[in-house]
């Protein structure tokens, strides 16, 4: 019999696989989904919200149906199959280990003063225009990406996998992938990508707040203040254009005692973001602290699932 505890065991194994191995090096299913989405876009693209809704609906509907079949087949085969399939789906949906490794590499490049290599690495973290960024700008962009993606690439997939198994976590990763591809406000996607962006806001709403709460709890691990993290979250997050990124970025800013936000250069436009937190602009040392804080928050999320699994086994 497949139980919720069985599912949580699979989720935790998936977390350990990501922690130890990172993303699959070849044939990553998320990359395959992205390629399929790009191919479909050649036929579905129109400069309208309706076309974007259809595009997202076809892709997420197909992904959800496939994931449901995988889950049903695994459950019929028994608990071990269910654990294995849940672990695999969780592993390919997580990106926490790759996030911290890439951000750590960025801090090393900035510490050495190799700005050209740092600019080449930045697209692996976020969609900023690296050509416009100096050392401080690169550090800030990387830190903000670490904050946002601690939720998007780790806590959110863990939560969705724990709540809904294979269909939930794969659909979440599909939504998040589409948001990264078309959910931005470039001239091409401001209307076509509207549905992807709004769906991603909904999918990440709870996870962003869980992540911010974990940041508050874990702030002392990097010499930070839980009180300052809560203050920045409550005071500054509502002014951010994203209902979710602002929450986690503000909590990180308060926990680290730095100031985030301000002019933000994308390839398609300059955005003036609200200030998050109080303190100096982040240094390379602050980026390293953010990487450590992300690691601790990721581990705390997994530990919380372990506690839930053990609690359920005792019933």
């Amino acid at each position: 019999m497949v139980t919720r505890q069985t599912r949580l065991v699979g989720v935790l194994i998936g977390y350990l696989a990501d922690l130890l191995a990172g993303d699959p090096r070849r044939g990553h299913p998320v990359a395959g989904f992205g390629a399929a989405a790009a191919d479909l876009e050649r036929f579905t693209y129109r400069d309208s919200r309706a076309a974007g809704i259809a595009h997202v609906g076809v892709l997420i509907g197909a992904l959800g149906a496939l994931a449901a079949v995988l889950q049903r087949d695994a459950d019929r085969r028994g608990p071990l199959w269910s654990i294995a399939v849940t672990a695999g789906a969780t592993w390919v949906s997580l990106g926490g280990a790759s996030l911290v490794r890439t951000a750590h590499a960025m801090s090393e490049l900035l510490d050495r003063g190799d700005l050209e290599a740092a600019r080449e690495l930045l697209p692996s973290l976020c969609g900023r225009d690296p050509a416009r960024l100096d050392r401080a700008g690169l550090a800030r962009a990387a830190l903000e990406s670490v904050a946002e993606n601690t939720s998007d690439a780790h806590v959110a997939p863990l939560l969705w996998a724990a709540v809904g198994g294979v269909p939930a976590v794969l659909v979440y990763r599909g939504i998040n992938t589409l948001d990264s591809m078309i959910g931005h406000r470039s001239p091409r996607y401001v209307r076509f990508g509207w549905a992807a962006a709004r769906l991603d806001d909904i999918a990440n709403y709870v996870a962003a707040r869980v992540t911010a709460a974990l940041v508050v709890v874990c702030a002392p691990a990097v010499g930070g203040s839980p009180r300052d993290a809560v203050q920045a979250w409550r005071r500054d997050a509502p002014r951010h254009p994203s209902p979710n990124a602002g929450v986690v970025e503000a909590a990180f800013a308060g926990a680290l005692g730095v100031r985030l936000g301000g002019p933000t250069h994308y390839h398609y436009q300059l955005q003036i973001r609200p200030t998050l937190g109080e303190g100096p602009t982040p240094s390379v040392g602050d980026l390293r602290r953010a990487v450590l804080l992300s690691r601790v928050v990721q581990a705390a999320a997994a530990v919380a699932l372990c506690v839930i699994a053990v609690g359920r086994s005792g019933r």
Side-chain angles (χ1 to χ4, degrees):
M1 179 180 177
V2 177
T3 64
R4 289 184 180 179
Q5 184 186 358
T6 302
R7 179 190 301 161
L8 288 176
V9 171
V11 172
L12 292 169
I13 293 173
Y15 161 72
L16 291 175
D18 179 64
L19 181 66
L20 297 174
D23 290 332
R25 296 185 181 277
R26 293 183 180 180
H28 200 306
V30 174
F33 177 81
D39 288 341
L40 181 64
E41 187 182 326
R42 292 186 296 176
F43 302 97
T44 57
Y45 180 80
R46 303 289 187 278
D47 189 18
S48 72
R49 287 185 176 183
I53 291 171
H55 179 75
V56 171
V58 168
L59 288 164
I60 296 303
L63 180 60
L66 175 61
V69 170
L70 287 173
Q71 182 78 80
R72 185 174 65 246
D73 183 63
D75 290 349
R76 285 175 178 173
R77 291 170 180 262
L80 291 180
W81 276 96
S82 183
I83 289 172
V85 172
T86 301
T90 303
W91 176 36
V92 301
S93 298
L94 289 170
S98 294
L99 169 68
V100 297
R101 288 169 188 165
T102 304
H104 178 73
M106 174 67 78
S107 70
E108 293 292 309
L109 292 172
L110 293 176
D111 208 28
R112 294 201 302 264
D114 193 347
L115 298 189
E116 193 59 36
R119 291 186 179 109
E120 290 178 3
L121 182 60
L122 187 67
S124 299
L125 287 169
C126 62
R128 310 283 174 88
D129 183 359
R132 295 177 174 270
L133 299 177
D134 58 10
R135 187 171 185 266
L138 289 165
R140 189 198 115 198
L143 198 158
E144 290 175 350
S145 178
V146 168
E148 180 177 3
N149 285 294
T150 298
S151 176
D152 288 8
H154 185 81
V155 176
L158 277 184
L159 289 178
W160 280 111
V163 169
V166 175
V169 72
L170 291 185
V171 164
Y172 167 76
R173 180 47 66 199
I175 291 170
N176 192 245
T177 301
L178 289 177
D179 178 62
S180 69
M181 294 177 69
I182 66 174
H184 44 81
R185 291 184 170 274
S186 66
R188 176 177 173 85
Y189 293 124
V190 66
R191 283 178 284 276
F192 183 74
W194 175 84
R198 298 292 78 75
L199 197 56
D200 186 72
D201 287 343
I202 294 169
N204 279 295
Y205 188 86
V206 172
R209 285 143 185 86
V210 170
T211 304
L214 290 173
V215 169
V216 171
V217 173
C218 297
V222 293
S225 165
R227 179 180 178 182
D228 290 347
V230 171
Q231 260 189 344
W233 173 5
R234 296 181 62 183
R235 181 189 64 230
D236 300 331
R239 298 186 288 115
H240 197 280
S242 168
N244 300 322
V247 169
V248 288
E249 288 180 19
F252 262 78
L256 298 169
V258 298
R259 184 176 71 254
L260 302 177
T264 304
H265 293 275
Y266 293 94
H267 290 284
Y268 51 88
Q269 67 178 185
L270 168 66
Q271 295 182 6
I272 305 299
R273 296 287 178 83
T275 298
L276 305 174
E278 296 178 333
T281 56
S283 65
V284 177
D286 293 318
L287 175 57
R288 286 202 181 93
R289 293 171 63 220
V291 170
L292 175 58
L293 181 57
S294 180
R295 288 182 187 273
V296 175
V297 167
Q298 291 179 36
V303 168
L305 290 181
C306 285
V307 171
I308 292 171
V310 171
R312 287 187 180 280
S313 68
R315 292 181 181 181

